[in-house]
Amino acid sequence: MKQELYFSNEVASTIEEVVAQINPSKIFVLVDTNTAYFVLPQLQQTSQIIANAKVITIPAGDLNKNLESLSLVWRELTLESASRSSLLINVGGGVVCDLGGFAAATYKRGIHCVNIPTTLLAAVDAAVGGKTAVNFQGLKNQIGVFREPDAVIISSIFFKTLNQHEILSGYAEMIKHALLKSEKEFARVMKFSPIDSLNNNDEYLEMLRDNVAIKADVVKKDPTEKGLRKALNLGHTAGHALEELSLERKNPIAHGYAVAWGLVIDAVLSSMLFNFSSDTLHTLANFVKENYGAYDISCKDYPHLIELMRQDKKNPDADHITFSLLKAPGKLELDAVATSEQISAALDIFCDLMGI
Amino acid sequence: MKQELYFSNEVASTIEEVVAQINPSKIFVLVDTNTAYFVLPQLQQTSQIIANAKVITIPAGDLNKNLESLSLVWRELTLESASRSSLLINVGGGVVCDLGGFAAATYKRGIHCVNIPTTLLAAVDAAVGGKTAVNFQGLKNQIGVFREPDAVIISSIFFKTLNQHEILSGYAEMIKHALLKSEKEFARVMKFSPIDSLNNNDEYLEMLRDNVAIKADVVKKDPTEKGLRKALNLGHTAGHALEELSLERKNPIAHGYAVAWGLVIDAVLSSMLFNFSSDTLHTLANFVKENYGAYDISCKDYPHLIELMRQDKKNPDADHITFSLLKAPGKLELDAVATSEQISAALDIFCDLMGI
């Protein structure tokens, strides 16, 4: 299925255009308890299509990205006799897009699906690329399929309801995309101000258009992560380990923050293993330190962090810890393998750079 | 993913060949409580690969083709740290192949999967074509995805443990395939004896090879049932209605029997609407009557049967009842629409032909 990306701050008319192309027999809107309150009423006022659609609401939060919420969606679709030509429109952040995408991919073996991401993180990450999923047994995104939505409508008008923390969380993925693309894109994201620019919708949309295109291009070339798509894991092996550590400490950090710190760790490893430029590493580390602060780890945490990296689902087996690294912005080193000693050394440098 | 079909009565060596090609990091075998008892011990004796694999067992029967059994498989895979390069080998009938296929398609967004169908019905139907699914809220195959297994190993050696009823149930799908192919294939299945031929493994395998190729060819041309694949619904709209009626009567009939009768009803409709030859209709009706007997319906059941056909998930909406019909064996009429009156008339003729 071909995924169409729409960048528009005229959301209602874009919805009309997309729905006219799909021509569904019935329309459902999936929201969580947050977007039901903060976003849906406004969309219902401007869009006749959304106003007339049947609304399905799941509880908000990653803890509810589970089989129970998924069954709720399947049940509502069943009760309302959704057919294969029905359409599910996901209006929300990553949880709604991922879980709704999986529900749509599996109900009657697949119905139409459109994502309208309402957070910056979802717009640049979850909504695009077809990685649908739910958590299972405490493991993130353990159950899912690769299945791209029919369309994604990306708009910056929703982001004004987000707090600074949420904006920065999304921006980490944009930094990642820029690192994958080129020196020039990297310089651009280092200069852009993700918070202040919210006042300029056109400028923001332009930035999103270019940045999301980087991810869409990678996904198009390798939809099921056999090769190139692994590039998108930049910052994520170390990032996920920090995220899980924070869960164990019962003081969870946002995914995007973990990715921002993970990007610095991966840049350190890249500089150790592939001569990634020290200047670029410092530019990145300073940007991250200034905007995201630092996460408090010490050398006592290293063995456990390395163990968590070892368990990452992207590793082919338990004996190797693989990373997606860089020779330079835009120059990828997929399937890089680092030893425990190298990772420990990288974590030491990371702590220095972050001033921990 | 390309699906490889292996027709072999040397199952152990074929498993070796298939596994060598996939080169999985870990191997899991899914069985149900029936195949765990009747098939697995023998496979474990002949195949070192099966003997060393981790076995996952689900309860047998269509009633257990549900989210609970699916979660059991996901849980076992998780507990045993299955990775994306792991392999799940489904050893069983339709329930095991459908549910195991869905589990493999969704665990970590997809691991390797091989089907070893142990019933004739699964060999000619469920194991091939990638329609994975579980039942949900009493609706058959309501949740699933299209995802072909890496390989299917079809062998007739397992069929000797089946009773006559089970063999005939599978044979109905073979008659369907023959009707979709040509006059010649149809004549061939009318002459073949599915029970007596069990004594000749080579002859049976040859028949399966040609017959399954018909389905595989249709699936290859239209994996997600946008067009041509609807041909495989021949006999199924009416068949499913009879099957559901039998469930309501608390005296369930086998799927294959319902399909056999459904094929006769569809042949009647084909002759009414598209001049399908009366001779061919009578040949089919006599074969079905002789081998499958008749299912007891009367004109009082027609309105309810028609209502059940209306609810079929393949209909685009509730106002149309669509059938896959034939002008002649090998000449398809997809998306044929019949009125209630026409269906009633067809059911009358069906009762006459079956001597009800």
Coordinates of all heavy atoms in Angstrom, one line a residue, chain A residues 1 25 67 71 74-75 77-79 82-85 98 102 105-110 130-133 136-137 139 141-146 224-226 311 313-317, chain B residues 1 25 67 71 74-75 77-79 82-85 98 102 105-110 130-133 136-137 139 141-146 224-226 311 313-316:
Chain A
M1 N 0.8 -1.2 0.0 CA 0.0 0.0 0.0 C 0.9 1.2 0.0 O 1.9 1.3 0.7 CB -0.9 0.0 1.2 CG -2.0 1.0 1.2 SD -3.1 0.8 2.5 CE -3.7 -0.9 2.2
S25 N -16.7 3.0 3.2 CA -18.1 2.7 3.4 C -18.5 3.3 4.8 O -19.7 3.7 4.9 CB -18.3 1.2 3.3 OG -17.6 0.6 4.3
L67 N -3.1 -5.1 24.9 CA -4.1 -6.0 24.2 C -5.6 -5.6 24.6 O -6.5 -5.7 23.8 CB -3.9 -7.4 24.6 CG -2.8 -8.1 23.9 CD1 -2.8 -9.6 24.3 CD2 -2.8 -8.0 22.4
S71 N -8.3 -4.8 21.9 CA -9.5 -5.5 21.9 C -10.7 -4.6 21.9 O -11.8 -4.8 21.2 CB -9.7 -6.5 23.0 OG -8.7 -7.5 22.9
W74 N -11.1 -3.4 18.3 CA -11.7 -4.4 17.5 C -13.1 -4.7 17.8 O -13.9 -4.9 16.9 CB -10.9 -5.8 17.8 CG -9.6 -5.9 17.2 CD1 -9.1 -5.3 16.1 CD2 -8.5 -6.8 17.6 NE1 -7.8 -5.7 15.8 CE2 -7.4 -6.6 16.7 CE3 -8.4 -7.7 18.7 CZ2 -6.2 -7.3 16.9 CZ3 -7.2 -8.4 18.8 CH2 -6.1 -8.2 17.9
R75 N -13.5 -4.6 19.1 CA -14.9 -4.8 19.5 C -15.8 -3.7 19.0 O -16.9 -4.0 18.4 CB -14.9 -4.9 21.0 CG -16.1 -5.7 21.6 CD -15.8 -6.2 23.0 NE -15.3 -5.1 23.9 CZ -14.2 -5.1 24.6 NH1 -13.4 -6.2 24.6 NH2 -13.9 -4.1 25.3
L77 N -15.3 -1.8 16.4 CA -15.4 -2.0 14.9 C -16.4 -3.1 14.6 O -17.2 -3.0 13.7 CB -14.0 -2.3 14.3 CG -13.0 -1.1 14.3 CD1 -11.6 -1.6 13.9 CD2 -13.5 0.0 13.4
T78 N -16.3 -4.2 15.3 CA -17.2 -5.3 15.1 C -18.7 -4.9 15.4 O -19.6 -5.2 14.6 CB -16.8 -6.5 16.0 OG1 -15.4 -6.9 15.7 CG2 -17.7 -7.7 15.8
L79 N -18.9 -4.3 16.5 CA -20.3 -3.9 16.9 C -20.9 -3.0 15.9 O -22.1 -3.0 15.7 CB -20.2 -3.2 18.3 CG -20.0 -4.1 19.5 CD1 -19.9 -3.3 20.8 CD2 -21.2 -5.1 19.7
A82 N -18.1 -2.6 11.0 CA -17.1 -2.1 10.0 C -16.8 -3.2 9.0 O -16.7 -4.4 9.3 CB -15.8 -1.7 10.8
S83 N -16.7 -2.8 7.7 CA -16.4 -3.7 6.7 C -14.9 -3.4 6.2 O -14.3 -2.5 6.7 CB -17.3 -3.6 5.5 OG -17.0 -2.5 4.7
R84 N -14.5 -4.3 5.3 CA -13.1 -4.1 4.8 C -12.9 -2.7 4.1 O -11.8 -2.3 3.9 CB -12.8 -5.2 3.8 CG -12.4 -6.4 4.5 CD -11.7 -7.4 3.5 NE -11.6 -8.7 4.1 CZ -11.5 -9.8 3.4 NH1 -11.3 -9.7 2.1 NH2 -11.4 -10.9 4.0
S85 N -14.0 -2.1 3.7 CA -13.8 -0.8 3.0 C -14.1 0.4 4.0 O -14.2 1.5 3.6 CB -14.7 -0.7 1.8 OG -16.0 -1.1 2.1
D98 N 0.1 4.0 16.7 CA 0.7 2.7 16.7 C -0.4 1.6 16.9 O -0.5 0.6 16.2 CB 1.7 2.5 17.8 CG 3.0 3.1 17.4 OD1 3.1 3.7 16.4 OD2 4.0 3.0 18.3
F102 N -2.3 -0.9 14.2 CA -2.3 -2.3 14.3 C -3.8 -2.8 14.2 O -4.0 -3.9 13.6 CB -1.6 -2.7 15.6 CG -1.5 -4.2 15.7 CD1 -0.9 -5.0 14.7 CD2 -1.9 -4.9 16.9 CE1 -0.7 -6.4 14.8 CE2 -1.7 -6.3 17.0 CZ -1.1 -7.0 16.0
A105 N -4.8 -2.7 10.7 CA -4.1 -3.7 9.9 C -4.6 -5.1 10.0 O -4.5 -6.0 9.2 CB -2.6 -3.7 10.2
T106 N -5.3 -5.4 11.2 CA -5.7 -6.7 11.5 C -7.2 -7.0 11.5 O -7.6 -8.1 11.5 CB -5.1 -7.1 12.9 OG1 -5.5 -6.1 13.9 CG2 -3.6 -7.2 12.9
Y107 N -8.0 -5.9 11.6 CA -9.4 -6.1 11.6 C -9.9 -6.6 10.2 O -9.6 -5.9 9.2 CB -10.2 -4.8 12.0 CG -11.7 -4.9 12.0 CD1 -12.4 -5.5 13.0 CD2 -12.4 -4.5 10.8 CE1 -13.7 -5.6 13.0 CE2 -13.8 -4.6 10.8 CZ -14.4 -5.2 11.9 OH -15.8 -5.4 11.8
K108 N -10.5 -7.8 10.2 CA -10.8 -8.4 8.9 C -9.6 -8.4 7.9 O -9.8 -8.2 6.7 CB -12.0 -7.7 8.2 CG -13.3 -7.8 9.1 CD -14.6 -7.6 8.3 CE -15.7 -7.7 9.3 NZ -17.0 -7.8 8.7
R109 N -8.5 -8.6 8.5 CA -7.2 -8.6 7.7 C -6.9 -7.3 7.0 O -6.2 -7.3 6.0 CB -7.2 -9.8 6.7 CG -7.3 -11.1 7.3 CD -6.9 -12.2 6.3 NE -7.2 -13.5 6.9 CZ -8.3 -14.2 6.7 NH1 -9.2 -13.7 5.9 NH2 -8.5 -15.4 7.3
G110 N -7.4 -6.2 7.5 CA -6.9 -4.9 7.0 C -8.0 -4.0 6.5 O -8.7 -4.4 5.5
G130 N 4.7 3.0 9.1 CA 4.0 1.7 9.2 C 4.4 0.7 10.3 O 4.1 -0.4 10.2
K131 N 5.2 1.2 11.3 CA 5.5 0.3 12.4 C 4.4 0.3 13.4 O 4.4 1.1 14.4 CB 6.8 0.8 13.1 CG 8.1 0.2 12.4 CD 9.2 0.4 13.4 CE 10.5 -0.4 12.9 NZ 11.6 -0.2 13.8
T132 N 3.4 -0.5 13.2 CA 2.2 -0.5 14.1 C 2.6 -1.5 15.2 O 3.4 -2.4 15.0 CB 1.0 -1.0 13.4 OG1 1.0 -2.4 13.2 CG2 0.8 -0.3 12.1
A133 N 2.0 -1.3 16.4 CA 2.3 -2.2 17.5 C 1.5 -1.9 18.8 O 0.9 -0.9 19.0 CB 3.8 -2.1 17.9
F136 N 3.5 -5.7 25.1 CA 3.0 -7.1 25.5 C 4.0 -7.5 26.6 O 5.2 -7.5 26.4 CB 3.0 -8.0 24.3 CG 2.5 -9.4 24.7 CD1 1.2 -9.7 24.9 CD2 3.4 -10.5 24.7 CE1 0.7 -10.9 25.2 CE2 3.0 -11.8 25.0 CZ 1.6 -12.0 25.2
Q137 N 3.4 -7.9 27.7 CA 4.2 -8.5 28.8 C 5.3 -7.5 29.2 O 6.4 -7.9 29.5 CB 4.8 -9.8 28.4 CG 3.7 -10.8 28.1 CD 3.9 -12.1 28.9 OE1 4.9 -12.7 28.9 NE2 2.8 -12.4 29.6
L139 N 6.9 -5.5 27.5 CA 7.9 -5.2 26.4 C 7.3 -4.3 25.4 O 6.2 -4.5 24.9 CB 8.4 -6.5 25.8 CG 9.1 -7.4 26.7 CD1 9.3 -8.8 26.1 CD2 10.5 -6.8 27.0
N141 N 6.2 -2.5 22.2 CA 6.0 -2.8 20.8 C 6.3 -4.2 20.4 O 6.8 -4.5 19.3 CB 6.8 -1.8 19.9 CG 6.4 -0.4 20.1 OD1 5.3 -0.1 20.4 ND2 7.4 0.5 20.0
Q142 N 6.1 -5.1 21.4 CA 6.4 -6.5 21.2 C 5.6 -7.2 20.1 O 6.0 -8.1 19.4 CB 6.3 -7.3 22.5 CG 6.6 -8.8 22.5 CD 8.1 -9.0 22.5 OE1 8.9 -8.2 22.3 NE2 8.4 -10.3 22.9
I143 N 4.3 -6.7 19.9 CA 3.4 -7.3 19.0 C 2.9 -6.3 18.0 O 2.4 -5.2 18.4 CB 2.1 -7.9 19.7 CG1 2.5 -8.9 20.8 CG2 1.1 -8.5 18.8 CD1 3.2 -10.1 20.3
G144 N 3.1 -6.6 16.7 CA 2.7 -5.6 15.7 C 2.9 -6.1 14.3 O 3.3 -7.3 14.1
V145 N 2.7 -5.2 13.3 CA 3.1 -5.6 12.0 C 3.6 -4.3 11.3 O 3.4 -3.2 11.8 CB 1.8 -6.0 11.1 CG1 1.4 -7.4 11.6 CG2 0.7 -5.0 11.1
F146 N 4.3 -4.5 10.2 CA 4.7 -3.4 9.3 C 3.5 -3.1 8.4 O 3.2 -4.0 7.6 CB 5.9 -3.7 8.5 CG 7.2 -3.8 9.3 CD1 7.7 -5.1 9.6 CD2 7.9 -2.7 9.7 CE1 8.9 -5.2 10.4 CE2 9.1 -2.8 10.4 CZ 9.5 -4.0 10.7
T224 N 10.5 -3.2 5.8 CA 10.5 -4.2 6.8 C 11.8 -4.3 7.6 O 12.0 -5.3 8.2 CB 10.0 -5.5 6.3 OG1 10.9 -6.0 5.3 CG2 8.6 -5.4 5.8
E225 N 12.6 -3.3 7.5 CA 13.8 -3.3 8.3 C 14.8 -4.4 8.1 O 15.2 -5.1 9.0 CB 13.4 -3.2 9.8 CG 14.5 -2.5 10.7 CD 14.1 -2.2 12.1 OE1 13.6 -3.1 12.8 OE2 14.1 -1.1 12.5
K226 N 15.0 -4.7 6.8 CA 16.0 -5.8 6.5 C 17.4 -5.2 6.5 O 18.4 -5.9 6.6 CB 15.7 -6.4 5.2 CG 14.3 -7.0 5.1 CD 14.2 -8.3 5.8 CE 12.8 -8.9 5.6 NZ 12.2 -9.5 6.9
Q311 N 19.6 -6.9 25.3 CA 18.3 -7.5 25.2 C 17.5 -6.8 24.1 O 16.4 -7.3 23.8 CB 17.5 -7.4 26.5 CG 18.0 -8.4 27.5 CD 17.4 -8.1 28.9 OE1 16.4 -7.5 29.0 NE2 18.1 -8.5 30.0
K313 N 15.5 -5.8 20.9 CA 14.9 -6.8 20.0 C 15.6 -6.7 18.6 O 15.4 -7.5 17.8 CB 13.4 -6.6 19.9 CG 12.9 -5.4 19.1 CD 11.4 -5.7 18.8 CE 10.7 -4.4 18.5 NZ 9.9 -3.9 19.5
K314 N 16.4 -5.6 18.4 CA 17.0 -5.5 17.1 C 18.3 -6.3 17.0 O 18.8 -6.5 15.9 CB 17.3 -4.0 16.8 CG 16.0 -3.2 16.6 CD 16.3 -1.8 16.3 CE 16.8 -1.0 17.5 NZ 15.8 -0.8 18.6
N315 N 18.8 -6.8 18.1 CA 20.0 -7.7 18.1 C 19.7 -9.0 17.4 O 18.6 -9.6 17.8 CB 20.6 -7.9 19.5 CG 21.2 -6.6 20.0 OD1 21.8 -5.9 19.3 ND2 21.0 -6.4 21.3
P316 N 20.5 -9.5 16.6 CA 20.3 -10.8 16.0 C 20.3 -12.0 17.0 O 19.6 -13.0 16.9 CB 21.4 -11.0 14.9 CG 22.5 -10.1 15.4 CD 21.8 -9.0 16.1
D317 N 21.2 -11.8 18.0 CA 21.3 -12.8 19.1 C 21.8 -12.1 20.3 O 22.2 -10.9 20.3 CB 22.1 -14.0 18.7 CG 23.4 -13.6 18.2 OD1 24.2 -13.0 19.0 OD2 23.8 -13.9 17.0
Chain B
M1 N 7.0 -11.4 0.9 CA 7.7 -12.6 1.1 C 7.3 -13.7 0.2 O 6.1 -13.9 -0.1 CB 7.5 -13.1 2.6 CG 8.5 -14.1 3.0 SD 8.3 -14.5 4.8 CE 8.8 -12.9 5.5
S25 N 17.6 -18.4 14.0 CA 18.4 -18.4 15.3 C 17.9 -19.3 16.3 O 18.6 -19.9 17.1 CB 18.5 -16.9 15.9 OG 17.1 -16.5 16.1
L67 N -8.1 -15.3 21.0 CA -7.1 -14.4 21.5 C -6.3 -15.1 22.7 O -5.1 -14.8 22.9 CB -7.7 -13.1 22.0 CG -8.1 -12.1 21.0 CD1 -8.5 -10.8 21.7 CD2 -7.0 -11.8 20.0
S71 N -2.4 -15.4 22.6 CA -1.6 -14.8 23.7 C -0.6 -15.8 24.2 O 0.5 -15.5 24.6 CB -2.4 -14.2 24.8 OG -3.2 -13.1 24.3
W74 N 2.3 -16.0 21.8 CA 3.1 -14.8 22.0 C 3.9 -14.9 23.3 O 5.1 -14.5 23.3 CB 2.2 -13.6 22.0 CG 1.7 -13.1 20.7 CD1 2.2 -13.3 19.5 CD2 0.5 -12.2 20.5 NE1 1.4 -12.7 18.5 CE2 0.4 -12.0 19.1 CE3 -0.4 -11.7 21.4 CZ2 -0.6 -11.2 18.6 CZ3 -1.4 -10.9 20.8 CH2 -1.5 -10.7 19.5
R75 N 3.3 -15.4 24.4 CA 3.9 -15.4 25.7 C 5.1 -16.4 25.7 O 6.2 -16.1 26.2 CB 2.9 -15.8 26.7 CG 3.2 -15.4 28.1 CD 1.9 -15.3 29.0 NE 1.1 -16.5 28.9 CZ -0.2 -16.5 28.6 NH1 -0.8 -15.4 28.3 NH2 -0.8 -17.7 28.5
L77 N 6.8 -17.4 23.1 CA 7.9 -16.9 22.2 C 8.7 -15.8 23.0 O 9.9 -15.8 23.0 CB 7.3 -16.2 21.0 CG 6.7 -17.2 19.9 CD1 6.0 -16.4 18.8 CD2 7.8 -18.1 19.3
T78 N 7.9 -15.0 23.8 CA 8.6 -14.0 24.6 C 9.5 -14.6 25.7 O 10.6 -14.2 25.9 CB 7.5 -13.0 25.2 OG1 6.7 -12.5 24.2 CG2 8.2 -11.9 26.1
L79 N 8.9 -15.6 26.4 CA 9.6 -16.2 27.5 C 10.9 -16.9 27.0 O 11.9 -16.9 27.7 CB 8.7 -17.3 28.2 CG 7.6 -16.8 29.1 CD1 6.7 -17.9 29.5 CD2 8.2 -16.0 30.3
A82 N 12.5 -15.4 21.8 CA 12.5 -15.6 20.3 C 12.8 -14.2 19.7 O 12.4 -13.2 20.2 CB 11.1 -16.0 19.8
S83 N 13.7 -14.2 18.7 CA 14.1 -13.0 18.0 C 13.5 -12.9 16.6 O 12.8 -13.9 16.2 CB 15.6 -12.9 17.9 OG 16.0 -13.6 16.8
R84 N 13.7 -11.8 15.9 CA 13.1 -11.7 14.6 C 13.6 -12.7 13.6 O 13.0 -13.0 12.6 CB 13.5 -10.3 14.0 CG 12.6 -9.3 14.6 CD 12.6 -8.0 13.7 NE 12.0 -7.0 14.4 CZ 12.2 -5.7 14.2 NH1 13.0 -5.3 13.3 NH2 11.5 -4.8 14.8
S85 N 14.8 -13.3 14.0 CA 15.3 -14.4 13.0 C 14.9 -15.8 13.5 O 15.4 -16.8 13.0 CB 16.8 -14.2 12.8 OG 17.4 -14.1 14.1
D98 N -3.5 -21.2 10.8 CA -4.1 -19.8 10.8 C -3.6 -19.0 12.0 O -3.1 -17.9 11.9 CB -5.6 -19.8 10.8 CG -6.2 -20.2 9.5 OD1 -5.4 -20.4 8.5 OD2 -7.4 -20.2 9.4
F102 N -0.6 -16.1 12.2 CA -0.9 -14.8 12.7 C 0.1 -14.4 13.9 O 0.6 -13.3 13.9 CB -2.4 -14.7 13.2 CG -2.8 -13.3 13.6 CD1 -2.5 -12.2 12.7 CD2 -3.4 -13.0 14.8 CE1 -2.9 -10.9 13.1 CE2 -3.7 -11.7 15.2 CZ -3.5 -10.7 14.3
A105 N 3.3 -13.7 12.3 CA 3.3 -12.4 11.5 C 3.4 -11.2 12.4 O 3.8 -10.1 12.0 CB 2.0 -12.4 10.7
T106 N 3.0 -11.3 13.7 CA 2.8 -10.2 14.6 C 3.9 -10.1 15.7 O 4.1 -9.1 16.3 CB 1.4 -10.2 15.2 OG1 1.2 -11.5 15.8 CG2 0.4 -9.9 14.1
Y107 N 4.5 -11.3 16.0 CA 5.5 -11.3 17.1 C 6.7 -10.5 16.6 O 7.3 -10.8 15.6 CB 5.9 -12.7 17.5 CG 7.0 -12.8 18.5 CD1 6.6 -12.6 19.9 CD2 8.3 -12.9 18.2 CE1 7.6 -12.6 20.8 CE2 9.3 -13.0 19.1 CZ 9.0 -12.8 20.5 OH 9.9 -12.8 21.4
K108 N 7.0 -9.4 17.3 CA 8.1 -8.5 16.9 C 8.0 -8.1 15.5 O 8.9 -7.9 14.7 CB 9.5 -9.1 17.1 CG 9.7 -9.4 18.6 CD 11.2 -9.6 19.0 CE 11.3 -9.8 20.5 NZ 12.7 -9.8 21.0
R109 N 6.7 -7.9 15.0 CA 6.4 -7.5 13.7 C 6.8 -8.5 12.6 O 7.0 -8.1 11.4 CB 7.0 -6.1 13.3 CG 6.4 -5.0 14.2 CD 6.6 -3.6 13.6 NE 6.3 -2.6 14.5 CZ 7.1 -2.0 15.4 NH1 8.4 -2.4 15.4 NH2 6.7 -1.1 16.2
G110 N 6.9 -9.8 13.0 CA 7.1 -10.8 12.0 C 8.4 -11.6 12.1 O 9.5 -11.1 12.1
G130 N -1.5 -17.5 2.9 CA -1.3 -16.4 3.8 C -2.4 -15.7 4.5 O -2.3 -14.6 5.0
K131 N -3.6 -16.4 4.5 CA -4.7 -15.8 5.2 C -4.7 -16.3 6.7 O -5.3 -17.2 7.1 CB -6.1 -16.3 4.6 CG -6.6 -15.4 3.5 CD -8.0 -15.7 3.2 CE -8.7 -14.7 2.3 NZ -10.1 -15.0 2.1
T132 N -3.9 -15.5 7.5 CA -3.8 -15.9 8.9 C -4.9 -15.2 9.7 O -5.4 -14.2 9.2 CB -2.4 -15.4 9.5 OG1 -2.5 -14.0 9.7 CG2 -1.3 -15.7 8.5
A133 N -5.3 -15.8 10.8 CA -6.4 -15.2 11.5 C -6.7 -16.0 12.8 O -6.3 -17.1 13.1 CB -7.7 -15.2 10.7
F136 N -13.0 -13.9 16.7 CA -13.1 -12.8 17.7 C -14.6 -12.6 17.8 O -15.3 -12.4 16.8 CB -12.4 -11.6 17.2 CG -12.5 -10.4 18.1 CD1 -11.8 -10.4 19.3 CD2 -13.2 -9.3 17.8 CE1 -11.8 -9.3 20.2 CE2 -13.3 -8.2 18.7 CZ -12.6 -8.2 19.9
Q137 N -15.1 -12.6 19.1 CA -16.5 -12.3 19.4 C -17.4 -13.2 18.6 O -18.4 -12.8 18.0 CB -16.8 -10.9 19.1 CG -15.9 -9.9 19.9 CD -16.7 -8.9 20.7 OE1 -17.5 -8.2 20.1 NE2 -16.6 -9.0 22.0
L139 N -17.0 -14.4 15.7 CA -17.0 -14.3 14.3 C -15.7 -14.9 13.8 O -14.6 -14.7 14.3 CB -17.0 -12.8 13.9 CG -18.3 -12.1 14.2 CD1 -18.2 -10.6 14.1 CD2 -19.4 -12.6 13.3
N141 N -12.5 -15.9 11.9 CA -11.3 -15.2 11.2 C -11.5 -13.7 11.2 O -11.1 -13.0 10.2 CB -11.2 -15.7 9.8 CG -10.9 -17.2 9.8 OD1 -10.3 -17.7 10.7 ND2 -11.4 -17.9 8.8
Q142 N -12.1 -13.1 12.2 CA -12.4 -11.7 12.2 C -11.1 -10.8 12.3 O -11.0 -9.7 11.8 CB -13.3 -11.4 13.4 CG -13.7 -9.9 13.6 CD -14.8 -9.5 12.7 OE1 -15.1 -10.1 11.7 NE2 -15.4 -8.4 13.0
I143 N -10.1 -11.4 13.0 CA -8.8 -10.7 13.2 C -7.7 -11.4 12.6 O -7.5 -12.6 12.9 CB -8.6 -10.5 14.7 CG1 -9.7 -9.8 15.4 CG2 -7.2 -9.8 15.0 CD1 -10.0 -8.4 15.0
G144 N -6.9 -10.8 11.7 CA -5.8 -11.5 11.1 C -5.1 -10.6 10.1 O -5.3 -9.4 10.1
V145 N -4.1 -11.1 9.4 CA -3.4 -10.4 8.3 C -3.2 -11.3 7.2 O -3.3 -12.5 7.3 CB -2.1 -9.8 8.8 CG1 -2.2 -8.7 9.8 CG2 -1.1 -10.9 9.3
F146 N -2.9 -10.7 6.0 CA -2.4 -11.5 4.9 C -0.9 -11.6 5.0 O -0.3 -10.5 5.0 CB -2.8 -10.8 3.6 CG -4.2 -10.8 3.2 CD1 -5.0 -9.6 3.5 CD2 -4.8 -11.9 2.6 CE1 -6.3 -9.6 3.1 CE2 -6.2 -11.8 2.3 CZ -6.9 -10.7 2.6
T224 N -4.0 -10.0 -1.6 CA -4.9 -9.4 -0.6 C -6.4 -9.2 -1.0 O -7.1 -8.4 -0.5 CB -4.4 -8.0 -0.2 OG1 -4.3 -7.1 -1.3 CG2 -3.0 -8.1 0.4
E225 N -6.8 -10.1 -1.9 CA -8.2 -10.2 -2.2 C -8.8 -9.0 -2.7 O -9.9 -8.6 -2.3 CB -9.0 -10.8 -1.0 CG -10.2 -11.5 -1.4 CD -10.9 -12.3 -0.3 OE1 -11.2 -11.7 0.7 OE2 -11.0 -13.5 -0.4
K226 N -8.2 -8.3 -3.6 CA -8.7 -7.1 -4.2 C -9.6 -7.5 -5.4 O -10.5 -6.8 -5.9 CB -7.7 -6.1 -4.7 CG -6.7 -5.7 -3.6 CD -7.3 -4.6 -2.7 CE -6.3 -4.2 -1.7 NZ -6.8 -4.1 -0.3
Q311 N -24.8 -11.1 5.7 CA -23.8 -10.6 6.7 C -22.4 -11.0 6.4 O -21.5 -10.7 7.1 CB -24.2 -11.2 8.1 CG -25.4 -10.5 8.7 CD -25.9 -11.3 9.9 OE1 -25.2 -12.0 10.5 NE2 -27.2 -11.1 10.2
K313 N -18.7 -11.3 5.5 CA -17.7 -10.2 5.5 C -17.2 -9.8 4.1 O -16.6 -8.8 3.9 CB -16.6 -10.5 6.5 CG -15.5 -11.4 6.0 CD -14.2 -11.2 7.0 CE -13.3 -12.4 6.9 NZ -13.4 -13.3 8.0
K314 N -17.4 -10.7 3.1 CA -17.0 -10.3 1.8 C -17.9 -9.4 1.0 O -17.5 -8.8 0.0 CB -16.8 -11.6 1.0 CG -15.6 -12.4 1.5 CD -15.4 -13.7 0.8 CE -16.5 -14.7 1.0 NZ -16.6 -15.4 2.3
N315 N -19.1 -9.2 1.6 CA -20.0 -8.2 0.9 C -19.5 -6.8 1.1 O -19.1 -6.4 2.2 CB -21.4 -8.3 1.5 CG -22.1 -9.6 1.0 OD1 -21.9 -10.0 -0.1 ND2 -22.8 -10.2 2.0
P316 N -19.6 -6.0 0.1 CA -19.2 -4.6 0.3 C -20.1 -3.8 1.2 O -19.7 -2.9 1.9 CB -19.2 -4.0 -1.1 CG -20.2 -4.9 -1.9 CD -20.1 -6.2 -1.3

